[in-house]
Amino acid sequence: MLKYFDEIAPFIFNERCHPMAPWADEIDVLGLTYEQIIGDHGNEVQLETIRKVAEFCEIRPPQPELILDQLIGKQTFTFSGGRTSWDAYWNPEIEARFMTFGGSELNERFGFGA
């Protein structure tokens, strides 16, 4: 992970993440989190998130519950069967680099707190 932050993160943060941040203020952009979609905040938040996406796309899903049953947690090309344990890769040295690249500001801007 440290090698990633030394070699790749400067490009990712400077060329991708920071330039994308102003999108958060656009009225025609729907902001949501992985945690809302996957259900970390409960089933009602998850269903409301599906409704918000449908409304934003100007479609009306017949049953948001059906979308959950058919899509969330199903086998896909990138589905590993579970979440990556971030604490296996993150440490104070990585955190310091993350802060240097403005990660804290990005987290706050996108609603993840400082």
Side-chain angles (χ1 to χ4, degrees):
M1 188 63 127
L2 193 56
K3 183 177 179 177
Y4 164 81
F5 267 86
D6 287 341
E7 295 177 3
I8 301 168
F11 170 77
I12 298 296
F13 277 86
N14 294 326
E15 301 296 322
R16 299 279 162 72
C17 297
H18 288 290
M20 185 175 57
W23 287 4
D25 301 324
E26 296 293 325
I27 60 169
D28 59 346
V29 172
L30 176 64
L32 49 93
T33 66
Y34 172 81
E35 292 80 7
Q36 289 170 308
I37 295 169
I38 210 69
D40 286 6
H41 306 293
N43 189 254
E44 277 308 310
V45 171
Q46 194 176 28
L47 291 170
E48 183 58 30
T49 301
I50 290 171
R51 288 183 196 103
K52 284 180 183 178
V53 171
E55 181 181 313
F56 185 80
C57 295
E58 299 179 351
I59 59 174
R60 185 173 173 191
Q63 297 172 333
E65 296 82 3
L66 189 59
I67 292 172
L68 286 182
D69 291 341
Q70 293 178 350
L71 298 177
I72 304 301
K74 300 299 180 190
Q75 187 64 41
T76 66
F77 180 71
T78 59
F79 184 68
S80 65
R83 290 191 183 169
T84 302
S85 178
W86 66 268
D87 54 345
Y89 303 97
W90 209 259
N91 62 45
E93 198 170 7
I94 298 296
E95 180 71 17
R97 285 191 174 62
F98 179 76
M99 300 298 260
T100 299
F101 293 123
S104 179
E105 291 85 2
L106 288 169
N107 274 350
E108 190 171 337
R109 178 118 191 222
F110 293 122
F112 292 104

